[in-house]
Amino acid sequence: MNRIRKQLSRGKRIETGESNLASSSKFPKFLFAFTVFLALLVPIADGFAQNAAAPDAVAPSIISQERPAIDSLKKQTADLANQMDKAASSDEALVDQRLKLEEVAKKLLGVGLAFRPRLAEINARLEQLGPAPAAGQPAEPEIVTSERNELAAEKAQINAMIGETEDTSLTVNQMIERIGEMRRELFARTLSQRVDINYSLGSEVADATGSEAKTFARSVSSWWRFVISFKLKSFLAAAFFALVAALVLHFCARRFLGELFFRDPTVETPSYLSRLSAAFWSTLIPSAAVGVFLGTTYFFLNYFNVLRTDIAAMLSSLFIVIIIVYFIHRLAKAVLCADMPNWRLVHIAPKPARVLTFLITTTALINGLDYFLNTVNQVLASPLSLTVAKSLLATVLVGLLIIAIAWVKPLEEEETGNVRPWPKALRLFLICLGLFPIVAALLGYIGLARFVSQQIVVNGAFLVTMYLGFLTARAITAEHAFGSTSIGRSMQERFGIDETSLDQLGLVAGILTNIAVLLIGIPLILLQFGFQWSELQTWFLRLMTGFQIGNFSVSFTGIFTGLLLFVIGYFVTRWFQNWLDGSVMARGRVDSGVRNSIRTVVGYLGLAVAALIAISAAGVNLSNLALIAGGLSLGIGFGLQNIVQNFVSGLILLVERPIKVGDWVEAGGVGGIIKKISVRATEIETFQRQSIIVPNSSLINDNVANWTHRNKLGRVDIPVGAAYGSDPRKVHAVLLEIGRSHPQVLKNPEPFVAFKGFGASSLDFELRVFLADIYSIATVQNDLRFMIVEKFAEEKIEIPFPQTDINLRVEHIEAIADAITARRTRPQADAGSGEKKEAAKVVGKTGVARIKI
C-alpha cells in the first residue's frame, strides 16, 4: 500500500508540477492511464482490508449489544422478586407475576441463543489455528498468537455472559415454582380457614348491616349525582351502544338461527334433535345477548371515564351475577320446558317442572347475591362479622334449596301420567350435596362452604349445557339426521347435495360442535376453580402456537391453517376442473376421453399441490418427509410393488391413452365400456351393467382389444350354413344382397361374403359388413339374421342342422329288433318315460341319425 501511495504521489507530481514532461515524447500516455488506474485501486484495496478485518469486529458488537439486554432482564428479575411478597395475598397478582417471569425467562433464552453462532465461529477458528507450540518447538508468527489470544478472551467473555443468563434463568424458574406453591397455599388456606361463629353477636351484625347499607347508598348516590351532573351524555351513549350491540346479536341470531331454537307449539312430536337444538340455542343466544349488553355497557362506561374505582368493581360483580343467573334460568326453562311439555328433554310433569325452575333460579340468585355482596364488603371494608353472617346465611339457604330439589317428585310416567320422585341414588346424592355446605358453614368453614355452593350452582349449569351440546353433536352425526334439519334441507335444495354427502357434513358439524363446546366450557369451569383468565389465555396461545413432543413440534394453529389451505386448494382444483372441462375443452369439441384424461391429471396435480402447501403450512418439514420416503422406499419396493406398478401403469394410460373413457374394450375375458380410469385401476362396465375393476398393470402388460381406439368403424361377421345340394353361387349372391340392403351397412368398404369351407353338415359361408358405429352391432346383427332366415325361405335354401351317419352290422340290427320287441311287450306306463328319456338323449347328442344297413 505504501508503494501504491508513493506511485500516486509521484503521479500527482508528474501531473501537476511536471506537465511539460507529460507533453513531451519521453512521458508515454499509457503511464498516465496507469496512474489513474492505481488511484482507483486504492479505495478498493482499503475495502478489502476492512472486510478482512470485519470478523474481528463482530464479537465486540454482539457483546455490547446483548449486555444492556442482560442487565435489563436481571433488573426485572430483581424487581419481581421484591414484589412477590406484596402479591402473596392475591391469586390474581400472583398469576400476573408468574406471566411476567415467564416472559423474562423466554427473553433470557433468546439472549443465550444469540451467542451461539459467534461462539461456533470462534471454536471453528481456534480449531483451525491449532494449539500454541510447545516448548522447544519453532515459534509461530506473532499475528497467529495475537489472534488466538483475542479469540480466547472473547470466548471467555461470551461464556461469562451465558453463565449470567443461565443463573438468572435458574432464579426465574425458582421464582415461578415458588409462585405455584404460594398459590396452592393460598387456595388451601382460603378453603381450610375456620372462623369462630359467635351466635350472640346478632345485634352487632344488625348494626353493621345498617351501617353498611347507608355507606353503600351514599357511595352509589354520590356517583350517580356525578353522572347526572357531568357524564350523563356519556352514560346514555354507553347504554345506547350496548343496546344496539345486543339487539344486533339477538335479531341476527333469530334471522339466521331462528329455526334452531324456535319451538313450534303446533308440532306434537318434535324429533329429539329438534328438542336438543331448541334447548341448546334458546339458552345460548339470549344469554349471549344479555352478556353482550352488559359487557358493552361496562366497556363504554369505563372508556368514557364514567366509573369510579369502587363503582367499577361493584358494577362488574353485579353484571357477572346478572349474566350467570339469567343463563341458569334460561337453561332450566329450556331443559324442563314447563309451558310446552312436547318439547321437554326429560319426562317431567308440567307442575313439578315449574317448581324445579323456580328452585333452580332461586338457588342461582342467592349464590349470585352472596358473590355480589362479598365484592361490596371488600370495597367498603366491611367488618368480618358481617361478611361471615352474610356467607353463612347464603350457603345455608343454597343447601336447603338443593335438598328441596331432591324431595320434589317430578318424573312423569308416559303411560299413566303419574308422578314419582327422583331415582334413589340421585336423590341421596342431591341431599348430600345440599347438606355439605350447610354443615361446613355451621362448623365455621365459610370459605369452603362458599366455594362448594358456587361450584354446585355455576359449574353445574356449565356441565348441563356442555352435556346438551354433546347430545346435540351426537344427534347431528346420526344417519340421515343432518339431512332432516332445516339447514340440511336448504343445502340439498340449493346445492343439490345427496344424502351421503349430507351425512358426511353432519359428521363434520358434530365434530365442530364438540370442539366448540370444549373450547367454551372448559375455560369457564377452570375459572370457577381459581384459574385466572390471563393464565388460561397464555396456556391457550401456547397450545395453539406450538409445543414440543420430543423433537417434534406440534402447532394446532399450523394444523388448522394447513387443513384450511387444503380445503381451499381442493375446491379451487374442482372449480378449475369444471371450468377447464365445461368452458374450454367443451367449446373446443375435444374428445370425451381426452377431456377425462386431462381432467383426471389436473385433479391429481391440484390435490398434490394443495397437500404440499398444507403440509408446509402445518409446520412439517418437507425434508423430513423426504427422509421418511427414502426409508420407506425399501418397503414400498417389496411390499407395495403391485400398487406402485398399478400407479405407474395408470399414469401411462392417462398420458399415452391406449384406452379412454367411453371405449369398448375386451381384456382378460372381460368386455365392456370404459367408465373411469384412476391411477390404480380402471372400471369397465359390461353390457349386463356389471362393473369390473381391472388393475391398470393388466391393461398395460396384457393384450387389450379396443374396438373404438381410433374411430367407431367396425366389421360384423355373421356365419351362415347352407345344406349340401344348394347352389353356392346363389347363396353367395343372396347373402351379398342382404348385406347391401341394410341401411346401416356402409357402402365403402362394401359388404363381402366369404365361402369359408365344407363343413360336416353344411356349406359354410360368412357375411361380413362394416358399420359406421360399432355400438349398433347388436341391432344390425339381429336384423341381418332375420333377413337371412326370410330370404333363404323364399329362395328354397335349406339351413341344415348337424347330421351323423351310423353303420350297423346285421347282428346289431337283429339285437336292436329283439330289444324293440321286448319293450313293446312291457306295459306302456313302464316304458314310456324311459323311451322318451332315451330318445331325448339320442336327439340331444346327435340331432338326427341316418342308419345305413
Side-chain angles (χ1 to χ4, degrees):
M1 296 301 297
N2 293 329
R3 185 182 302 173
I4 294 173
R5 292 189 179 95
K6 289 179 181 179
Q7 291 178 356
L8 286 174
S9 63
R10 182 180 178 184
K12 286 183 178 180
R13 290 197 304 270
I14 292 173
E15 182 181 1
T16 57
E18 302 176 5
S19 59
N20 55 344
L21 294 177
S23 61
S24 66
S25 60
K26 295 181 180 180
F27 191 80
K29 294 182 179 181
F30 79 91
L31 187 60
F32 179 76
F34 181 71
T35 304
V36 176
F37 172 74
L38 291 178
L40 295 175
L41 185 64
V42 171
I44 298 176
D46 292 338
F48 279 115
Q50 291 176 3
N51 291 335
D56 295 334
V58 171
S61 65
I62 292 179
I63 293 176
S64 60
Q65 180 181 358
E66 298 298 334
R67 169 54 64 185
I70 294 176
D71 294 339
S72 175
L73 292 175
K74 291 173 65 175
K75 184 177 183 303
Q76 292 181 26
T77 304
D79 293 341
L80 291 173
N82 295 330
Q83 297 173 6
M84 189 177 298
D85 294 335
K86 298 179 181 179
S89 59
S90 174
D91 184 73
E92 186 176 357
L94 289 175
V95 170
D96 184 61
Q97 291 284 97
R98 177 177 177 176
L99 294 177
K100 292 179 180 179
L101 287 171
E102 289 178 350
E103 185 67 22
V104 171
K106 185 178 180 180
K107 292 180 180 179
L108 286 171
L109 180 61
V111 171
L113 294 177
F115 288 109
R116 287 189 178 182
R118 179 56 185 165
L119 196 59
E121 293 178 2
I122 293 174
N123 291 330
R125 182 57 181 164
L126 289 175
E127 187 176 354
Q128 292 177 356
L129 296 176
Q137 294 183 352
E140 63 182 3
E142 183 180 355
I143 188 173
V144 175
T145 304
S146 176
E147 183 180 1
R148 182 186 296 108
N149 293 335
E150 290 177 358
L151 291 176
E154 180 186 348
K155 182 178 178 180
Q157 291 180 4
I158 292 177
N159 288 331
M161 294 181 69
I162 291 177
E164 290 183 23
T165 59
E166 291 178 351
D167 293 340
T168 308
S169 179
L170 180 61
T171 303
V172 170
N173 291 331
Q174 291 176 351
M175 293 171 63
I176 292 175
E177 293 179 358
R178 184 185 171 191
I179 286 177
E181 295 177 357
M182 294 172 66
R183 291 186 65 196
R184 288 190 292 270
E185 292 176 359
L186 179 62
F187 182 75
R189 186 168 61 251
T190 302
L191 296 184
S192 60
Q193 185 177 7
R194 186 175 181 276
V195 179
D196 293 331
I197 299 176
N198 190 350
Y199 299 100
S200 61
L201 298 179
S203 58
E204 180 181 351
V205 171
D207 295 338
T209 302
S211 176
E212 286 297 314
K214 294 178 181 178
T215 304
F216 175 74
R218 284 196 302 267
S219 177
V220 173
S221 61
S222 64
W223 170 75
W224 184 245
R225 285 194 300 271
F226 166 77
V227 171
I228 295 296
S229 302
F230 303 102
K231 294 288 185 176
L232 182 60
K233 293 182 179 180
S234 300
F235 181 84
L236 295 177
F240 174 75
F241 290 142
L243 183 61
V244 169
L247 291 177
V248 168
L249 175 62
H250 180 72
F251 285 111
C252 287
R254 291 186 63 87
R255 173 65 177 83
F256 296 103
L257 302 174
E259 296 183 0
L260 295 178
F261 63 88
F262 176 72
R263 295 181 178 89
D264 190 357
T266 60
V267 179
E268 296 182 358
T269 56
S271 64
Y272 187 66
L273 178 60
S274 299
R275 287 181 286 161
L276 276 174
S277 176
F280 182 78
W281 291 106
S282 64
T283 301
L284 186 62
I285 298 300
S287 301
V290 173
V292 167
F293 172 74
L294 296 178
T296 309
T297 301
Y298 182 84
F299 171 79
F300 281 112
L301 289 177
N302 191 34
Y303 179 79
F304 293 138
N305 296 323
V306 179
L307 299 177
R308 287 197 322 242
T309 304
D310 56 343
I311 297 298
M314 291 187 290
L315 195 64
S316 173
S317 176
L318 179 62
F319 283 177
I320 292 174
V321 169
I322 292 174
I323 293 172
I324 292 178
V325 172
Y326 183 77
F327 171 77
I328 293 174
H329 174 70
R330 294 291 307 185
L331 179 62
K333 288 190 64 177
V335 174
L336 301 176
C337 201
D339 298 333
M340 297 182 182
N342 52 334
W343 284 88
R344 60 190 177 185
L345 291 177
V346 291
H347 294 288
I348 293 179
K351 185 176 180 179
R354 295 186 182 91
V355 175
L356 286 175
T357 303
F358 172 77
L359 292 175
I360 292 172
T361 305
T362 306
T363 304
L365 181 60
I366 292 175
N367 193 276
L369 288 176
D370 177 48
Y371 176 81
F372 171 70
L373 293 177
N374 186 64
T375 304
V376 173
N377 293 335
Q378 292 179 358
V379 172
L380 301 180
S382 302
L384 179 63
S385 58
L386 182 61
T387 303
V388 170
K390 178 264 304 176
S391 299
L392 175 64
L393 179 61
T395 51
V396 170
L397 289 177
V398 169
L400 293 175
L401 288 172
I402 294 174
I403 294 175
I405 293 174
W407 286 104
V408 175
K409 296 181 179 180
L411 301 181
E412 181 183 21
E413 297 181 358
E414 296 184 13
E415 298 180 355
T416 60
N418 297 329
V419 294
R420 53 187 177 85
W422 299 106
K424 186 175 181 181
L426 179 60
R427 188 166 67 253
L428 290 176
F429 175 75
L430 291 175
I431 292 174
C432 294
L433 205 63
L435 287 175
F436 186 86
I438 296 176
V439 174
L442 293 177
L443 292 177
Y445 296 99
I446 303 297
L448 178 61
R450 291 187 69 252
F451 178 79
V452 171
S453 62
Q454 181 181 351
Q455 305 311 313
I456 292 173
V457 176
V458 181
N459 282 339
F462 291 158
L463 289 174
V464 171
T465 306
M466 291 178 65
Y467 182 66
L468 291 178
F470 292 141
L471 290 179
T472 304
R474 188 174 65 180
I476 291 175
T477 56
E479 189 175 4
H480 305 308
F482 186 73
S484 61
T485 61
S486 58
I487 297 178
R489 288 192 297 269
S490 63
M491 293 179 65
Q492 189 174 16
E493 295 174 358
R494 181 172 300 181
F495 302 107
I497 302 176
D498 56 4
E499 292 185 358
T500 303
S501 300
L502 286 175
D503 285 340
Q504 294 174 352
L505 290 176
L507 181 61
V508 174
I511 294 174
L512 293 178
T513 302
N514 285 327
I515 294 175
V517 169
L518 291 175
L519 290 178
I520 296 174
I522 291 179
L524 292 176
I525 292 175
L526 292 178
L527 287 174
Q528 305 307 315
F529 280 97
F531 293 92
Q532 301 298 324
W533 178 252
S534 57
E535 189 177 13
L536 296 178
Q537 187 177 6
T538 303
W539 290 354
F540 180 77
L541 292 177
R542 188 179 302 170
L543 180 66
M544 297 303 294
T545 55
F547 58 93
Q548 293 290 129
I549 300 180
N551 294 327
F552 187 73
S553 179
V554 179
S555 173
F556 286 106
T557 303
I559 293 174
F560 293 152
T561 304
L563 291 176
L564 180 61
L565 290 177
F566 180 78
V567 171
I568 293 174
Y570 173 82
F571 284 107
V572 169
T573 301
R574 289 292 179 261
W575 171 83
F576 182 73
Q577 281 181 299
N578 296 330
W579 175 80
L580 186 64
D581 189 16
S583 300
V584 178
M585 293 187 291
R587 293 182 181 180
R589 300 184 183 277
V590 181
D591 183 73
S592 60
V594 178
R595 291 167 57 182
N596 180 78
S597 299
I598 295 176
R599 181 185 177 91
T600 303
V601 172
V602 169
Y604 285 122
L605 289 177
L607 290 179
V609 172
L612 291 177
I613 294 174
I615 291 173
S616 299
V620 179
N621 192 352
L622 295 180
S623 60
N624 296 334
L625 294 181
L627 294 175
I628 295 174
L632 293 177
S633 60
L634 183 62
I636 291 174
F638 287 99
L640 303 178
Q641 56 182 346
N642 290 332
I643 296 177
V644 175
Q645 182 181 12
N646 290 325
F647 177 78
V648 175
S649 300
L651 296 179
I652 294 174
L653 290 176
L654 292 173
V655 174
E656 293 187 356
R657 299 179 60 250
I659 60 174
K660 55 186 179 297
V661 174
D663 282 355
W664 177 6
V665 299
E666 293 179 358
V670 177
I673 308 300
I674 299 291
K675 289 297 182 182
K676 182 180 180 182
I677 301 175
S678 62
V679 293
R680 191 198 67 83
T682 298
E683 180 183 350
I684 300 177
E685 185 179 276
T686 65
F687 296 105
Q688 291 81 22
R689 300 297 180 183
Q690 181 184 19
S691 295
I692 306 296
I693 308 300
V694 181
N696 289 331
S697 58
S698 300
L699 300 176
I700 292 294
N701 299 326
D702 298 339
N703 296 327
V704 179
N706 192 342
W707 286 83
T708 56
H709 179 51
R710 300 187 184 278
N711 49 53
K712 295 182 180 180
L713 180 66
R715 195 183 78 179
V716 179
D717 299 337
I718 301 178
V720 181
Y724 279 97
S726 302
D727 184 1
R729 295 188 180 279
K730 182 179 180 181
V731 174
H732 180 277
V734 170
L735 291 176
L736 194 59
E737 180 184 356
I738 293 172
R740 291 171 177 172
S741 63
H742 197 283
Q744 291 183 275
V745 174
L746 295 177
K747 300 299 186 290
N748 185 22
E750 64 178 355
F752 177 76
V753 177
F755 188 0
K756 298 188 65 175
F758 302 94
S761 303
S762 63
L763 302 173
D764 295 335
F765 294 84
E766 189 173 78
L767 174 60
R768 300 170 182 174
V769 297
F770 291 87
L771 305 177
D773 187 1
I774 194 64
Y775 289 110
S776 61
I777 182 174
T779 303
V780 175
Q781 281 181 335
N782 202 38
D783 294 343
L784 291 177
R785 289 192 180 101
F786 276 116
M787 294 172 67
I788 289 172
V789 172
E790 294 171 356
K791 196 65 175 177
F792 274 25
E794 292 178 3
E795 298 295 335
K796 308 297 183 183
I797 300 174
E798 181 183 357
I799 300 177
F801 42 78
Q803 300 179 4
T804 304
D805 293 338
I806 301 175
N807 298 319
L808 299 177
R809 298 180 181 180
V810 176
E811 57 271 17
H812 293 161
I813 296 173
E814 291 177 354
I816 291 173
D818 293 339
I820 292 173
T821 303
R823 286 179 177 274
R824 288 179 177 177
T825 58
R826 295 178 184 175
Q828 295 295 331
D830 295 337
S833 60
E835 292 177 357
K836 291 179 182 178
K837 291 180 181 179
E838 199 67 27
K841 290 181 181 179
V842 174
V843 173
K845 291 180 179 180
T846 63
V848 175
R850 292 187 299 170
I851 301 176
K852 295 183 180 180
I853 301 174

